[in-house]
Amino acid sequence: MATYSKNGVKKEIIGKLRRHFSRDVAEATREQVYQACALVIRDALTDRMIYTQNELNEQGGRQVHYLCMEFLVGRSLRSNAFNLSMQEALEGALADLGYEAQDIFAEEEDPGLGNGGLGRLAACYMDSMATIGIHGNGYSIRYENGNFRQKIENGVQVELPSSWLDTGAVWQISAMDDVREVRIGGAVNSIWQDGKLTVEHVEYTPVLAVPYDMPISGYHTDNVARLRLWQAKSPIALDMQAFSQGDYLGAVEKVAMAESISKVLYPEDNHLAGQSLRLKQQYFLVSATAQDICARHKAHYGTLENFAEKNVLHINDTHPALVIPELMRILMDEEGMGWDGAWHIVSQSVAYTNHTVTPESLECWPTDLVQAHMPRIMMILAEINERYCQELWNYFPGDFERISSLAIIADGQVRMANLAIVGSFSVNGVSALHSDILKERVFADQYHIYPAKFRNVTNGIALRRWLCEANPELTSLIASKIGNGFISHPSELQVLRNFGGDAVLLRDLAAVKRRNKERLAAYIKEHNHIEVNLDSIFDVQAKRLHGYKRQLLNIIHVVDMYHFIKNNPHVSVVPRTVIFASKASPNDTMAKRTIQLMLSVAHQVNRDPDMEGKLKIIFLEDYRVSLAELIMPAAELSEQISVAGREASGTGNMKFMMSGALTIGTMDGANVEICQAVGSENIFIFGMGAEEAQSLAASGEYYARDYYNTNPALKEALDHIRRGFDDGEEYNDIVSALIDGGPGKTDHFMVCRDYESYGLAQERVDQMYRRPENWNYMSLVNIANSGRFAADRSVAEYAQNIWRVHTSFAY
Ligand code: 26V
């Protein structure tokens, strides 16, 4: 590990400014200073990345290739400086040059290459792979436009493009010698010769996949993981002149089609019907990646026979599942292997993680779309399906219905989850509960056939980013008590449990929280022009907006609190600042209306003098990684209130907990394990469990209106919402979807069912907040038990139980 001095770093920054921007410090813009700092760090990382790759080649161990359509990496400058132990030197150098480090960090646009949990998880895992010494490669797409920037205009979400590459490109090194060609469309000629089938793919549109490598540093190590992002380029563009003589328009169209592939990240995160561009994106990612891995492997070993021994391709959700037929194609069509040999290699090198059980998220693609865009892949899929269905006969003889439900191709659709399960050696869920639901419900038949494939790995988060960088004061406080071993060995946080009786520590903990609240309050003042009460509970729900996550439950309760305070002006209440941060999918009308409702409620409540000091509602625009880094440390109450059985794991819950927020939540996803870890007395659990929720929904007899009729506070809140607020906006649509209809027809996420129980849990929150020493103790217990939710533990479990690669990290 190199060490860095302030003066050394300063000299390098000055040098970069001169050489890259022809500027002396005095004339440089803030952005140029940011770029110069990034270049200094990039140099250090690139050296190490090359070293890591070489070392890997020499060792000849198994490599992990993590394929994901999203990598929500967040800003890089500070996190790389931190991991390289350069942060102090960098901050000192910047101060000498007359800059506040925070301002320079803030120059970096968040690279929004993801929508939410799935993408952020992938980024956290890269950090851990590098840290615990696993040779990991991430693969994704270099979307020109990442997730949209959210603006609120007249109370509604509007979407704006984000231009992350202006400040993000500096972290990426193009590797032109590794450009791959992906073939889209066209037709396949099959030729039988001497009893052997050869295929010829003709009339396709070639698309070049140009790799850009982002080095991802590990903490306190020279290991650097590599995130390879593919950009789509048309080869025709280079030779437009020649092309134009024949078919100018056709050529332009081909260029546009090719290059559109990496133009934009789809801003949806649960459902897309038949979007052919998305399908091309998925194939583009897997084809370029599979070719890349095979080419590198072959260059080193001279054969692909030992491919499975040396590579594992981890697919995140089913989006990259076409890597299964694509690898088959390479092994058979390019390497000349037979079906059985190729299938053995493929199914021993692919592992699949499922991240969602919402039925509309189980991806299916129309066969005619697959046929049109990737005809050879469709042939291979048909063959995989054919052989698999024959195998199914042995398990379920004569049971046509079951066989067709398990088939990979049926009803004109390719079912990606079935493909992923059949073509991989491991299938895992992301929390204990979720993995059980996969085995018992979603994939019960597949579990019956392949019990040994199914596993669980509970999610985890990057402790360095979410604790050390986002909450430096808490980190120092912890280190002052237990040393800083926990930064590399998160389970050491448990030692904090011995300090439960340390009144001084508990007070210091509260003081750190207070300062983090002040930071967030200053941000709110600047962006929302609202002054919040620092003595109020900072009660936060920050996550994508979704019906199943039940932001509605929260906002209805806010209206209820508003009524209570209005009707009981002299009753002392525990003051609250309810904070929402959420993006809605642009096509999800209900989600967008829910945001509008939050804003209408905020509009009225925040202007009502009776609420002064007691209740404020804040909507923070444009939720993204850097904003989460400000929010999590300041939160005191973490809202994890999904309808049980729907949130596969959740990772926000872990980020809040690690910064000492207490959770109010259902027994869903990783909340169940958080509850186990902290003890039920240190968390506010409410509502139905997963089984009850499942059977109530399945009964078709859930009747939301009963709850409305029998719970006066709920009725009053819903009536008010229906009538609307003082901004003139009415919400008949939202209320109607909850209660206007017969049993089984409304309120699909059973908000009304859990309403009373949620209110009671909120009362317990209030009571506890009145006793700060108890609250602070609970907060300490949460921090102390958060170590098992560090990504280092998750990644070590993947390494041992799935990837079978060595790590010396013990958890
Ligand atoms: C689905 C789709 C389908 C339409 C096109 C775009 C798109 C993008 C993403 C997805 C799947 C999103 C799945 C997801 O984010 N799941 C979350 O994964 C987290 C990490 O495992 C987990 O903590 C959350 O509970 C789970 O909702």
Side-chain angles (χ1 to χ4, degrees), residues 513-806:
K513 182 62 79 183
R514 177 99 184 176
R515 284 193 289 277
N516 288 331
K517 286 169 75 177
E518 282 166 6
R519 276 200 298 156
L520 181 59
Y523 181 93
I524 292 172
K525 179 94 183 56
E526 186 185 338
H527 291 83
N528 297 50
H529 315 292
I530 295 172
E531 200 102 40
V532 298
N533 174 3
L534 287 168
D535 292 320
S536 63
I537 307 181
F538 276 27
D539 168 354
V540 186
Q541 189 167 17
K543 49 178 83 250
R544 279 294 285 235
L545 214 139
H546 257 296
Y548 83 82
K549 294 181 189 279
R550 299 202 291 195
Q551 279 94 350
L552 256 185
L553 178 56
N554 188 344
I555 194 71
I556 295 169
H557 181 254
V558 170
V559 174
D560 188 353
M561 283 195 287
Y562 175 62
H563 291 163
F564 181 86
I565 300 171
K566 270 301 229 200
N567 297 334
N568 302 276
H570 303 298
V571 174
S572 125
V573 295
V574 179
R576 284 204 190 220
T577 301
V578 181
I579 299 169
F580 293 100
S582 227
K583 285 180 181 171
S585 295
N587 297 320
D588 186 341
T589 322
M590 230 355 146
K592 285 185 137 178
R593 285 287 285 162
T594 307
I595 290 180
Q596 205 176 356
L597 170 61
M598 291 166 177
L599 291 158
S600 291
V601 176
H603 186 269
Q604 180 157 341
V605 169
N606 296 347
R607 276 171 185 71
D608 188 330
D610 295 349
M611 297 300 123
E612 197 47 50
K614 295 181 176 170
L615 183 62
K616 280 254 149 46
I617 322 299
I618 305 295
F619 185 90
L620 290 175
E621 217 171 57
D622 201 27
Y623 187 50
R624 60 197 184 283
V625 175
S626 62
L627 187 53
E629 288 166 1
L630 182 66
I631 294 175
M632 304 294 174
E636 292 171 297
L637 187 65
S638 152
E639 300 266 354
Q640 306 300 335
I641 60 179
S642 51
V643 59
R646 288 301 195 101
E647 190 68 273
S649 160
T651 43
N653 46 6
M654 301 168 184
K655 292 162 199 164
F656 282 110
M657 172 197 198
M658 207 173 260
S659 267
L662 307 188
T663 303
I664 181 166
T666 48
M667 281 301 231
D668 198 12
N671 296 353
V672 176
E673 288 155 84
I674 291 176
C675 178
Q676 252 164 24
V678 300
S680 57
E681 66 286 9
N682 294 307
I683 186 168
F684 305 99
I685 295 291
F686 73 94
M688 290 178 288
E691 280 191 21
E692 190 185 346
Q694 168 66 16
S695 56
L696 183 56
S699 73
E701 280 163 18
Y702 169 60
Y703 188 42
R705 205 169 183 98
D706 274 347
Y707 296 89
Y708 168 86
N709 288 334
T710 53
N711 184 337
L714 174 62
K715 177 174 188 310
E716 213 181 304
L718 289 181
D719 289 348
H720 192 168
I721 293 171
R722 201 194 287 268
R723 279 196 312 277
F725 297 86
D726 65 4
D727 59 357
E729 202 55 44
E730 298 164 9
Y731 293 92
N732 182 52
D733 53 343
I734 289 185
V735 176
S736 183
L738 286 177
I739 55 169
D740 296 345
K745 296 278 185 281
T746 63
D747 189 13
H748 298 299
F749 306 108
M750 297 180 277
V751 168
C752 296
R753 162 64 182 76
D754 278 345
Y755 187 77
E756 185 185 0
S757 157
Y758 178 60
L760 292 171
Q762 290 286 19
E763 279 175 28
R764 298 201 296 278
V765 170
D766 282 347
Q767 282 157 18
M768 199 54 75
Y769 202 74
R770 289 180 192 275
R771 303 207 296 267
E773 54 309 337
N774 294 34
W775 184 278
N776 296 337
Y777 171 79
M778 290 169 75
S779 174
L780 181 79
V781 173
N782 272 267
I783 299 166
N785 289 293
S786 66
R788 64 193 274 190
F789 301 107
D792 296 346
R793 188 269 313 149
S794 316
V795 168
E797 283 186 22
Y798 276 100
Q800 282 167 18
N801 304 334
I802 299 178
W803 302 333
R804 309 229 186 272
V805 296
H806 174 75

Side-chain angles (χ1 to χ4, degrees), residues 69-70 115-122 125 265-273 278 282 316-317 319 353-357 360-361 363 365 429-431 434 459 544 546 548-549 646-654 669-670 798:
M69 289 289 282
E70 310 191 357
N115 280 287
L118 173 90
R120 183 54 231 173
L121 188 81
Y125 284 3
L265 167 83
Y266 275 91
E268 268 75 37
D269 71 347
N270 78 334
H271 184 64
L272 266 181
R278 167 83 180 180
Q282 295 185 352
N316 271 286
D317 241 3
H319 318 145
T353 298
N354 173 286
H355 293 266
T356 177
V357 294
E360 62 284 6
S361 298
E363 253 192 318
W365 287 105
V430 289
S431 71
H434 170 59
N459 282 168
R544 279 294 285 235
H546 257 296
Y548 83 82
K549 294 181 189 279
R646 288 301 195 101
E647 190 68 273
S649 160
T651 43
N653 46 6
M654 301 168 184
Y798 276 100

Side-chain angles (χ1 to χ4, degrees), residues 49-51 133 157 227 274 385 566 595 655 670 698 700 713 746 784 786 807:
M49 184 165 71
I50 293 166
Y51 168 81
Q157 165 179 304
L227 173 56
N385 184 52
K566 270 301 229 200
I595 290 180
K655 292 162 199 164
T746 63
S786 66
T807 167

Side-chain angles (χ1 to χ4, degrees), residues 67 103 228 701:
L67 277 67
D103 295 341
R228 178 157 274 197
E701 280 163 18

